[in-house]
């Protein structure tokens, strides 16, 4: 989900909580200044809380001890003529829309935001024009603009607009005192803040309702200020009723005769709330805590660095790491401490560097209770990727599919882009004819488990890399690692059958990494497979020669789905 939509969702949830608190506890109270604080807090905190680095809440499930529930089978060449299921690639007119749905939604949402902001800018320009068109004088640091024919008096910032000929003397005094209260209490700042918030979060209805509640409360505050300074509150209320509501109004200013007259008169005649009820405003604190909890619950779970080491990351309680030519001795010391806390011992018997401090030769060993692994590299040094799971670990020159993106980015940056096995643009499937579904079906329709590999009980992960040129053509198909040459050749053959991708408007070349896991059913309820076999893009299941396999569309497989049990 795009970051913008996540922010809007979180801000909307927080705003809803604040507004419901106001409606249920404070709306009928006469503590207008406290209510102003509550309503302003709704705008400020709902906008700011999603931007704070709150830790994401995650609920993890204990993995069950069971065999891998692989249910995707592929025929081998010996039975391809009789057992193959033909899969047709169907395209629809709405496919381009679904492929770019996120971009379209973001564009539409941003367009509405820009339109609303432009409308408010036009209102500000209109106010500026009114200042130039009227008779202006200043008193007590407040600017008064006399505008004959203005439909209703209003104020904005430190300027009051009114028609001196439209009201009797007493009514005019009430109008000016009311608007002066707006100016002296800086109510225009509240209006600008709420208006800007509603432009950004226009899709949230509670934002608009909270803005309206804030406007009404500001009127209560101005009315209260006038009542406290006049000897005739009844006359002031009659002035409210006599001033008409005709004509269009600017929505970011304070109107003397806004359409809240009935509510304003009722609140002016209401008995003051007991001071003991002010304890209710302490409810703002648990609402803040609840909002923070909701934001943490909706925050996307991401990989995090362990103990400050940029070369280690934990994702879903699984540890990943990378060693580049720029990894320092201090970095290795931190890695040893972190790994030791997890029951893993790191030993580096050999480590050589050049005059620039870059690694040229290293022997890297990891040992845990159930597994151990090591890797040796001479000059030139190759980047190491490793992972440490509860029951297995792995290390090599290529990352596993589930390796966190931050480690991939680090490896690319510190190796000058020379690392292989990394997809440089995760959106490349949007350019494939028919989208991701068609990409899957292409492999489902063509991949075969070579008969010779089955007879030799060859199984494991084939890692392949190819490049998509700016015009959409594929080249530089390279098998990076394979447990058996026949398996690597088969994956390379199918990759060469891929149709041309759509051209890239940015003109960049995309490197794509593909992992296909070949597994063999041993006929005894188990599988013959390689390390990290369940985290491949495509899982190909075969049987020992005595069994006959069949093929199903890859749409039923666990293609590129980290939540899959495979």
């Amino acid at each position: 989900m795009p970051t913008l939509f996540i922010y809007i969702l979180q801000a909307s949830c927080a705003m809803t909580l604040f507004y419901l608190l106001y409606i249920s506890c404070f709306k009928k109270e006469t503590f207008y200044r406290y209510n102003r604080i509550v309503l302003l807090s709704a705008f400020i905190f709902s906008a700011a809380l999603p931007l704070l680095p709150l830790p994401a809440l995650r609920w993890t499930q204990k993995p069950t001890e069971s065999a891998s529930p692989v249910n995707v089978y592929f025929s081998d060449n010996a039975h391809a003529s009789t057992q193959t299921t033909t899969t047709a690639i169907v395209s629809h007119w709405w496919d381009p829309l679904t492929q770019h749905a996120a971009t379209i939604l973001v564009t539409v949402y941003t367009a509405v935001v820009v339109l609303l902001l432009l409308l408010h800018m036009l209102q500000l320009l209109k106010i500026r024009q009114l200042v130039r068109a009227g008779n202006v004088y200043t008193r007590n640091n407040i600017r008064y603009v006399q505008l004959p024919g203005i439909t209703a008096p209003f104020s904005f910032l430190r300027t009051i607009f009114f028609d001196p000929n439209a009201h009797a003397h007493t009514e005019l005094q009430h109008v000016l005192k009311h608007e002066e209260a707006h100016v002296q209490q800086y109510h225009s700042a509240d209006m600008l803040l709420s208006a800007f918030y509603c432009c950004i979060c226009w899709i949230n209805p509670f934002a608009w309702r909270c803005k309206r509640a804030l406007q009404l409360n500001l009127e209560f505050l101005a009315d209260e200020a006038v009542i406290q300074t006049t000897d005739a509150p009844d006359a002031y209320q009659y002035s409210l009723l006599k001033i008409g509501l005709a004509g269009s109004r600017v929505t970011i200013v304070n109107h003397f005769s806004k359409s809240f007259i009935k509510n304003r008169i009722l609140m002016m005649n209401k008995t003051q709330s007991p001071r003991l009820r002010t304890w209710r405003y302490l409810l703002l604190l648990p609402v803040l805590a609840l909002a923070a909890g909701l934001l943490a619950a909706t925050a996307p779970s991401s990989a995090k660095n362990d103990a400050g080491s940029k070369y280690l990351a934990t994702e879903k309680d699984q540890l990943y790491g990378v060693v580049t030519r720029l990894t320092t001795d201090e970095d290795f010391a931190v890695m040893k401490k972190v790994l030791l806390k997890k029951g893993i011992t790191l030993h580096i018997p050999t480590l050589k560097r050049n005059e620039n401090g870059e690694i040229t030769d290293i022997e890297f060993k990891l040992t845990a209770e159930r597994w151990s692994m090591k890797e040796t590299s001479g000059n030139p040094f190759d980047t190491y990727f490793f992972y440490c799971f509860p029951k297995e670990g792995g290390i090599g020159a290529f990352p596993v599919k589930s390796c966190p993106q931050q480690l991939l980015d680090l490896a690319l940056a510190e190796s000058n882009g020379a690392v292989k096995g990394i997809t440089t643009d995760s959106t490349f499937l949007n350019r494939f004819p028919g989208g991701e579904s068609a990409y899957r079906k292409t492999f489902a329709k063509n991949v075969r488990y070579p008969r010779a590999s089955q007879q030799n009980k060859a199984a494991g992960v084939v890692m392949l890399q190819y490049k998509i040129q700016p015009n959409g053509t594929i080249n530089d198909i390279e098998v990076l690692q394979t447990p058996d040459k026949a398996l690597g050749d088969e994956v390379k053959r199918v990759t060469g059958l891929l149709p041309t991708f759509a051209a890239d408007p940015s003109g960049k070349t995309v490197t794509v990494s593909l992992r296909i896991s070949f597994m063999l059913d041993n006929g005894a309820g188990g599988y013959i497979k390689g390390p990290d076999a369940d985290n491949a893009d495509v899982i190909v299941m075969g049987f020992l020669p005595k069994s006959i396999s069949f093929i199903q569309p890859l749409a039923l497989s666990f293609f590129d789905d980290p939540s899959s049990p495979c």
Side-chain angles (χ1 to χ4, degrees):
M1 182 183 294
T3 304
L4 173 64
F5 290 156
I6 295 177
Y7 174 81
I8 296 299
L9 174 63
Q10 293 177 335
S12 298
C13 290
M15 172 60 74
T16 302
L17 286 177
F18 280 104
Y19 180 74
L20 294 178
L21 174 68
Y22 173 78
I23 291 297
S24 59
C25 298
F26 310 132
K27 180 181 179 181
K28 296 182 180 180
E29 302 294 340
T30 59
F31 304 120
Y32 305 130
R33 288 177 175 80
Y34 290 157
N35 288 349
R36 182 185 183 187
I37 294 175
V38 172
L39 293 169
L40 286 177
S41 299
F43 290 103
I44 295 173
F45 285 110
S46 64
L49 283 177
L51 302 177
L52 298 179
L54 299 175
L57 296 180
R58 294 182 295 167
W59 291 266
T60 58
Q61 295 181 344
K62 183 178 180 179
T64 57
E65 298 291 337
S66 60
S68 301
V70 179
N71 62 349
V72 182
Y73 303 91
F74 290 81
S75 66
D76 55 27
N77 290 329
H79 303 281
S81 60
T82 59
Q83 299 293 332
T84 302
T85 301
T86 302
T87 304
I89 299 177
V90 181
S91 298
H92 304 283
W93 64 268
W94 59 80
D95 284 344
L97 296 178
T98 57
Q99 294 172 20
H100 304 284
T103 303
I104 294 174
L105 290 176
V106 170
T107 302
V108 172
Y109 190 93
T110 304
V112 176
V113 171
V114 172
L115 177 61
L116 291 174
L117 290 175
L118 287 176
L119 291 176
H120 283 78
M121 291 296 296
L122 291 176
Q123 292 181 359
L124 294 176
L125 292 176
K126 183 178 180 181
I127 294 174
R128 184 177 180 182
Q129 292 174 355
L130 291 177
V131 173
R132 294 178 177 178
N135 182 22
V136 182
Y137 67 92
T138 303
R139 184 178 63 195
N140 296 330
N141 201 26
I142 298 177
R143 184 170 56 177
Y144 297 83
V145 180
Q146 298 178 343
L147 285 169
I150 190 173
T151 57
F154 65 91
S155 61
F156 181 71
L157 298 178
R158 303 199 65 81
T159 304
I160 297 175
F161 301 82
F162 68 99
D163 183 356
N165 303 319
H167 313 288
H169 176 73
T170 302
E171 294 175 1
L172 182 59
Q173 293 304 311
H174 290 157
V175 167
L176 295 180
K177 288 182 179 180
H178 179 92
E179 299 304 331
E180 287 169 358
H182 281 308
V183 171
Q184 293 167 355
Q185 298 180 26
Y186 304 100
H187 291 175
S188 293
D190 300 29
M191 298 297 296
L192 288 172
L193 174 64
S194 61
F196 180 77
Y197 184 98
C198 289
C199 289
I200 302 300
C201 299
W202 59 265
I203 201 171
N204 181 14
F206 289 99
W208 297 97
R209 297 185 68 87
C210 195
K211 177 176 180 288
R212 182 177 176 84
L214 178 63
Q215 287 178 304
L216 180 57
N217 189 73
L218 296 179
E219 296 300 328
F220 292 160
L221 284 169
D223 292 335
E224 183 182 52
V226 176
I227 294 297
Q228 291 175 352
T229 58
T230 183
D231 297 330
D234 293 339
Y236 175 69
Q237 296 177 24
Y238 281 119
S239 297
L240 288 180
L241 295 174
K242 291 178 64 176
I243 296 178
L245 302 176
S248 61
R249 310 195 186 281
V250 181
T251 60
I252 58 175
V253 299
N254 302 108
H255 289 281
F256 175 77
S257 57
K258 195 74 177 172
S259 59
F260 303 131
I261 292 180
K262 179 180 177 180
N263 291 329
R264 290 166 60 184
I265 293 178
L266 289 176
M267 293 302 289
M268 278 186 279
N269 291 281
K270 185 177 180 178
T271 303
Q272 294 294 310
S273 301
R275 300 296 298 178
L276 291 177
R277 292 186 184 176
T278 55
W279 68 267
R280 294 185 179 184
Y281 290 90
L282 294 176
L283 295 174
L284 189 62
L285 298 178
V287 168
L288 276 173
L290 180 59
L294 287 176
L295 298 184
T298 56
S301 177
S302 59
K304 59 181 180 180
N305 284 6
D306 273 299
S309 174
K310 64 179 180 180
Y311 295 97
L312 292 176
T314 298
E315 190 172 73
K316 298 181 180 178
D317 298 325
Q318 296 175 339
L319 182 64
Y320 300 84
V322 63
V323 178
T324 73
R325 59 187 178 87
L326 301 181
T327 306
T328 65
D329 294 339
E330 291 77 11
D331 295 322
F332 283 126
V334 174
M335 292 170 65
K336 287 182 179 180
K337 293 180 180 179
V338 175
L339 292 171
L340 190 59
K341 291 179 180 180
K342 298 180 179 294
I344 303 170
T345 302
L346 170 61
H347 183 51
I348 307 176
T350 303
L351 178 61
K352 296 180 181 180
R353 300 180 183 272
N354 59 18
E355 60 276 6
N356 297 323
E358 299 176 351
I359 298 176
T360 58
D361 189 9
I362 187 174
E363 185 177 355
F364 194 84
K365 293 183 179 180
L366 290 172
T367 304
E369 181 180 356
R370 297 187 178 185
W371 50 262
S372 64
M373 56 187 177
K374 70 176 182 177
E375 186 74 14
T376 302
S377 177
N379 195 6
F381 170 74
D382 294 325
T383 299
Y384 286 163
F385 293 91
F386 62 89
Y387 64 92
C388 304
F389 297 169
K391 292 186 177 181
E392 70 175 67
I395 185 171
F398 310 114
V400 294
K401 176 174 172 53
S402 54
C403 183
Q405 186 62 42
Q406 66 190 58
L407 295 183
L408 301 180
D409 295 338
L410 177 64
L412 288 173
E414 297 194 356
S415 64
N416 297 324
V419 179
K420 295 183 178 180
I422 298 178
T423 299
T424 57
D425 184 359
S426 60
T427 64
F428 75 97
L429 286 177
N430 295 334
R431 298 166 52 196
F432 190 82
E436 181 178 347
S437 176
Y439 188 79
R440 298 177 179 181
K441 292 176 181 178
T442 299
F443 286 96
K445 183 179 179 181
N446 295 284
V447 172
R448 302 288 180 266
Y449 206 129
R451 167 64 80 177
S453 299
Q454 295 188 52
Q455 291 175 342
N456 296 330
K457 298 183 180 181
V461 177
V462 175
M463 180 181 293
L464 178 141
Q465 176 178 286
Y466 64 91
K467 293 183 179 180
I468 306 175
Q469 298 301 317
N471 61 0
T473 59
I474 296 175
N475 61 3
D476 294 343
I477 303 175
E478 179 183 1
V479 177
L480 301 179
Q481 68 179 25
T482 177
D484 181 76
K485 185 178 184 302
L487 297 179
D489 291 341
E490 173 65 11
V491 175
K492 187 174 183 179
R493 179 188 68 84
V494 175
T495 305
L497 298 176
L498 293 177
T500 301
F501 286 71
D504 186 357
S506 62
K508 64 182 178 181
T509 299
V510 178
T511 300
V512 178
S513 174
L514 177 66
R515 293 167 175 81
I516 296 185
S517 177
F518 289 86
M519 300 183 183
L520 281 174
D521 189 337
N522 60 13
Y527 303 95
I528 302 174
K529 58 182 181 179
D532 198 39
D534 297 330
N535 288 321
D537 296 309
V538 183
I539 297 178
V540 180
M541 177 61 65
F543 294 89
L544 295 179
K546 61 181 180 180
S547 301
I548 299 177
S549 58
F550 57 93
I551 185 169
Q552 292 181 354
L554 193 56
L556 299 177
S557 71
F558 306 105
F559 180 91
D560 201 16
D561 185 0
S563 64
S564 167
C566 289

